[in-house]
């Protein structure tokens, strides 16, 4: 009787972070081939939707769509369509047009061409059935987080088509996994000391957001938030850390932004996307969302 194949795990720098993939239950040669194919799919998403890349499809849309409809790939169309759906469902708490504020504060690079209109919003983005995107006003879309989650989903789906026993795809805090037993995911808030709680995940996706420690040569480490509440234009509270569990990684990533801004008021949209959130702030840990996906348990 042949011995079971060992797990194959590899990592590669993509999406501005490190992407890690582990596959169990496939012959080693096939597992490596499948992992390479999964990395190729992640790289394609980065090439299409990176705000940082001057030649990306998203950059071309941001520079041209206010002048005329711009054709986009099926991947970009799918992510943008879902981003607009989430923006509407959350009444703008998830806002893919928040980029100008992030550019202003040096968190994203400025783009060439006409600057965004001060009153532009996600409602000024129009998708046509012919696969084109048009802007009613000059604006800048940033699909970074939701595109990262989508890339994880694409890699996962490609690996799953080869029917391994277990799949683990992780990219900078966005994770999707499947297998016969649940795995612990630790809720490690950057400012929290002491025991780190864990969530047991099985056949689901996980994403986390919160403040980050910023260090330089002059100042001591300081906490800073990279998440802006679109209702106020101000950064979200520094003491809030959020982990969202959802069936798809693109939803888990996007919904962390909603919970960061809205806190307990985000429960209805979590239910809509069958998501569960674990939120830490001054009041301690809170669980949100009644319709959690199978396999998520604290």
């Amino acid at each position: 009787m042949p011995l079971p194949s060992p797990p194959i795990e590899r990592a590669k720098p993509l999406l501005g972070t490190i992407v890690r993939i582990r596959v169990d239950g496939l012959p080693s040669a096939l597992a490596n081939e499948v992992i390479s194919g999964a990395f190729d799919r992640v790289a394609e998403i980065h090439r299409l939707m990176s705000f940082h890349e001057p030649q990306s499809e998203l950059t071309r849309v941001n520079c041209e769509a206010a002048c005329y409809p711009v054709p986009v790939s099926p991947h970009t169309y799918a992510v943008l369509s879902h981003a607009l759906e989430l923006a509407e469902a959350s009444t703008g708490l998830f806002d893919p047009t928040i980029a100008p504020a992030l550019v202003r504060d040096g968190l994203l690079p400025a783009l060439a061409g006409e600057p965004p209109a001060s009153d532009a919003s996600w409602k000024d983005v129009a998708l046509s059935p012919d696969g084109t995107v048009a802007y009613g006003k000059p604006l800048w879309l940033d699909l970074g987080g939701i595109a990262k989650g989508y890339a994880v989903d694409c890699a996962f789906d490609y690996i799953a088509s080869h029917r391994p026993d277990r799949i683990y795809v992780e990219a900078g805090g966005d994770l999707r996994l499947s297998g016969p037993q649940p795995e612990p995911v630790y809720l490690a808030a950057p400012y929290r000391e002491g025991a780190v709680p864990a969530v047991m995940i099985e056949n689901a996706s996980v994403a986390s957001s919160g403040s980050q420690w910023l260090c330089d040569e002059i100042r001591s480490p300081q906490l800073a938030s990279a998440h802006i509440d679109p209702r106020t234009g101000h950064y979200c509270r520094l003491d809030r850390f959020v982990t969202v569990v959802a069936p798809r990684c693109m939803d888990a990533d996007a919904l962390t932004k909603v919970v960061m801004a809205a806190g307990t008021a985000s429960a209805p949209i979590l239910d809509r996307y069958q998501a569960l959130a674990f939120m830490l702030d001054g009041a301690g840990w809170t669980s949100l969302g009644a319709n959690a996906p199978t396999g998520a348990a604290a």
Side-chain angles (χ1 to χ4, degrees), residues 116-161:
S118 60
D119 60 344
S121 77
W122 57 270
K123 295 179 181 179
D124 296 307
V125 181
L127 295 180
S128 297
D130 63 357
T132 61
V133 182
Y135 295 170
K137 300 173 183 177
L139 58 85
W140 289 342
L141 282 169
D142 173 29
L143 301 176
I146 193 171
K148 181 173 68 169
Y150 178 78
V152 170
D153 288 332
C154 287
F156 180 95
D157 291 342
Y158 173 73
I159 297 168
S161 69

Side-chain angles (χ1 to χ4, degrees), residues 197-287:
V199 181
M200 299 303 295
I201 302 297
E202 182 179 5
N203 301 321
S205 300
V206 187
S208 297
S209 289
S211 301
Q212 300 176 357
W213 287 110
L214 297 182
C215 303
D216 58 35
E217 297 178 355
I218 300 176
R219 296 173 299 179
S220 60
Q222 296 183 0
L223 275 176
S225 175
H227 303 292
I228 294 176
D229 184 337
R231 298 170 298 182
T232 65
H234 299 307
Y235 285 90
C236 296
R237 52 192 291 178
L238 294 178
D239 68 342
R240 180 166 287 168
F241 174 82
V242 171
T243 293
V244 173
V245 183
R248 293 194 300 173
C249 202
M250 67 185 303
D251 288 329
D253 186 291
L255 290 170
T256 62
K257 282 69 172 176
V258 176
V259 183
M260 281 293 297
T264 56
S266 58
I269 190 171
L270 290 167
D271 290 345
R272 173 170 175 166
Y273 288 94
Q274 297 182 293
L276 174 67
F278 299 92
M279 182 179 71
L280 173 66
D281 56 23
W285 285 102
T286 304
S287 298

Side-chain angles (χ1 to χ4, degrees), residues 69-83:
V70 178
V72 296
S73 66
H75 283 309
T76 301
Y77 193 94
V79 173
L80 182 49
S81 176
H82 199 62

Side-chain angles (χ1 to χ4, degrees), residues 2-6:
L3 294 175
S5 299

